[in-house]
Amino acid sequence: MRRPSPQSNQPAPPFNALAARRLRAALGMGPEHVAYGMRASYGMPYVTPDLVIAWERGVASPTSPELTALAGVLWCSPGELIGSPRTLKEHRIARGLAPEDVARAVGLELLAYQRMEERDEWRGTDRQSAALAELLDLDLAAFVTITGREGKLAEMLRSAVTTRWQAYVRPVGKIVPLDRRVLEGTLQELHQDYQGHMTATLSWGGGGKDSSASGEDFLDRIVEYFWTTVQRYTG
């Protein structure tokens, strides 16, 4: 039976169970070896082979301290055991950085940074934001997400595809600093795609619920479609 960890109430980062299993196998280790290493070297006496197996099967996920210890036993970086990070904390953990490392690098008091991380609400200046992006090696999509701008971006994009996209080139550009030509091409293409979803099933007297559902699904995934389209223009 797993004994509760004193830090088990901490949110778990997105865990890549398959990567953990492959790394362990590549080292020729069994779950019992991993559990022993975490107990002996990282002071986690409650970790058992069964718990390691549960992690690898996706039945449970390690907490942040457990993931760091697991990475140490498997001779890898924490980032290799994390799925696609989305929050500021997950990106920090993926880089194997402590909160004080990030706070110092971007020029924030530790407590101020920790509050931002806990609330998942970045409030740094432009200079601090640039330092954060460089430190965590964030691409533009990740930067927009962890700085809390994704919701506003989604709102702008929904308006752009349902009305006149030309009116939203500049507002979207304030959130996502991309070349104007890239933004214009992306918004125009998204607008055409959305209109296509709405009109395809309306042809020949069809439509109704089907076209509405198709359009709603498109709007729900508008940010995803935006970045995919941007990639085509910039890649």
Side-chain angles (χ1 to χ4, degrees):
M1 174 67 71
R2 176 184 178 185
R3 190 168 66 185
S5 163
Q7 295 170 307
S8 61
N9 61 334
Q10 296 188 14
F15 183 60
N16 190 330
L18 180 59
R21 188 163 64 249
R22 286 176 173 171
L23 285 165
R24 175 180 60 75
L27 292 170
M29 301 171 67
E32 66 277 9
H33 301 126
V34 175
Y36 175 79
M38 294 182 70
R39 291 196 303 268
S41 300
Y42 293 91
M44 296 181 172
Y46 56 86
V47 177
T48 64
D50 286 342
L51 179 57
V52 174
I53 292 172
W55 289 339
E56 292 184 356
R57 289 178 176 173
V59 176
S61 294
T63 63
S64 296
E66 290 166 349
L67 185 138
T68 300
L70 179 62
V73 172
L74 295 178
W75 291 86
C76 68
S77 70
E80 294 178 74
L81 297 176
I82 295 179
S84 299
R86 286 189 55 81
T87 66
L88 177 56
K89 181 175 184 177
E90 289 170 1
H91 278 281
R92 173 180 62 75
I93 293 172
R95 293 290 163 189
L97 297 170
E100 50 267 32
D101 297 330
V102 179
R104 183 171 55 252
V106 302
L108 281 169
E109 293 291 333
L110 177 58
L111 288 178
Y113 170 76
Q114 288 177 320
R115 281 196 295 270
M116 292 182 194
E117 189 175 275
E118 289 167 2
R119 296 171 184 172
D120 197 20
E121 189 177 73
W122 174 252
R123 291 186 173 274
T125 64
D126 288 344
R127 181 187 62 78
Q128 291 168 333
S129 296
L132 181 74
E134 182 177 358
L135 179 67
L136 300 182
D137 193 23
L138 301 172
D139 61 21
L140 187 54
F143 181 73
V144 168
T145 298
I146 72 169
T147 53
R149 304 177 191 180
E150 188 173 272
K152 186 65 174 177
L153 175 61
E155 179 185 336
M156 290 287 183
L157 293 175
R158 291 187 187 106
S159 295
V161 301
T162 55
T163 58
R164 291 184 65 255
W165 64 266
Q166 295 91 337
Y168 290 89
V169 174
R170 191 169 183 178
V172 171
K174 290 182 179 180
I175 301 173
V176 184
L178 288 168
D179 182 88
R180 185 180 178 89
R181 287 172 297 181
V182 171
L183 281 175
E184 288 176 342
T186 298
L187 293 182
Q188 183 177 20
E189 186 172 329
L190 290 175
H191 182 273
Q192 292 171 344
D193 287 348
Y194 174 74
Q195 298 303 322
H197 277 278
M198 294 302 294
T199 60
T201 52
L202 290 173
S203 301
W204 307 102
K209 293 181 179 179
D210 289 340
S211 61
S212 177
S214 178
E216 288 176 5
D217 179 67
F218 187 89
L219 293 178
D220 286 342
R221 302 175 62 185
I222 190 66
V223 174
E224 176 188 339
Y225 292 137
F226 173 78
W227 291 120
T228 300
T229 307
V230 165
Q231 183 62 38
R232 287 204 302 272
Y233 278 91
T234 59

